[in-house]
Amino acid sequence: MDIKRILNHLLYPQWLLRRTFPDVTMDRIEAAVTASERAHHGEIRFAVEGALDFMPLWRGVSARQRAVALFAELGVWDTETNNGVLIYLLLAERDVEIVADRGLQDRVSLAQWESICREMEAMFARGEFEAGALLGIERIHTLFDQHFPIRGQSSTINANELPNRPVRI
């Protein structure tokens, strides 16, 4: 049990989530996801959470564990070709976690995902939240374009399987 972590979360003001990610920023993230998904056969979800509740903190739930749980709750795993990706930001810790479905496991290394997370976290540490979120989407777009491109006749068939709107939790 990490008392400092628990206090950091419990004292994190909920209004700060909306201030850090206002509607206009959420609109821009949604537009970036939408534009990205028009160019490849991948699905991107973005979720930002201010802080964890007491019980998960007490049980020692990590940002990674929370991201994996949200991956399931948001249905990111439920794409036809198993190519969904969740970008999760836990603001109280400024921790970014990316959870990718099994269709990407053999194609994208853990080091590549970690690199994207660290780039985003560096921007968030400077208070560049919108820019950091958009950078992460851009980096994932590049990976999808490489591994799940739209080419030829299939370009007319690109179903949007998950909502593009980012979520505040």
Side-chain angles (χ1 to χ4, degrees):
M1 176 174 54
D2 183 347
I3 297 297
K4 182 179 176 186
R5 180 177 186 240
I6 290 173
L7 287 174
N8 187 37
H9 281 259
L10 295 179
L11 298 175
Y12 190 88
Q14 193 60 25
W15 58 265
L16 195 51
L17 173 59
R18 273 188 119 17
R19 183 174 175 200
T20 306
F21 281 87
D23 289 342
V24 67
T25 296
M26 300 298 269
D27 292 342
R28 289 180 182 134
I29 292 169
E30 180 178 16
V33 169
T34 300
S36 175
E37 289 181 359
R38 286 187 187 125
H40 55 72
H41 289 289
E43 292 290 325
I44 301 170
R45 289 297 318 259
F46 185 92
V48 57
E49 187 165 25
L52 298 176
D53 292 330
F54 179 74
M55 285 311 294
L57 290 168
W58 184 258
R59 290 190 311 264
V61 171
S62 68
R64 181 71 184 174
Q65 290 167 321
R66 178 66 174 147
V68 169
L70 284 172
F71 182 84
E73 287 176 34
L74 296 173
V76 182
W77 58 270
D78 195 20
T79 61
E80 186 175 337
T81 55
N82 302 309
N83 60 355
V85 171
L86 172 67
I87 302 170
Y88 171 73
L89 167 60
L90 181 56
L91 276 175
E93 298 177 13
R94 300 226 174 137
D95 189 357
V96 176
E97 296 291 337
I98 297 175
V99 182
D101 207 347
R102 62 189 173 270
L104 293 161
Q105 284 177 343
D106 294 335
R107 299 170 187 215
V108 180
S109 71
L110 181 59
Q112 288 173 292
W113 295 123
E114 286 295 320
S115 175
I116 296 168
C117 291
R118 298 305 78 85
E119 281 185 276
M120 292 175 70
E121 288 170 355
M123 293 187 84
F124 296 155
R126 294 189 302 266
E128 300 172 12
F129 293 99
E130 182 178 313
L134 296 176
L135 175 73
I137 292 165
E138 178 184 318
R139 296 289 191 260
I140 291 170
H141 167 85
T142 300
L143 293 172
F144 271 133
D145 195 44
Q146 179 182 356
H147 298 294
F148 290 96
I150 293 177
R151 301 285 188 257
Q153 298 289 349
S154 66
S155 65
T156 59
I157 305 169
N158 187 19
N160 189 22
E161 298 179 76
L162 299 173
N164 294 340
R165 184 76 182 165
V167 292
R168 289 185 205 99
I169 301 169

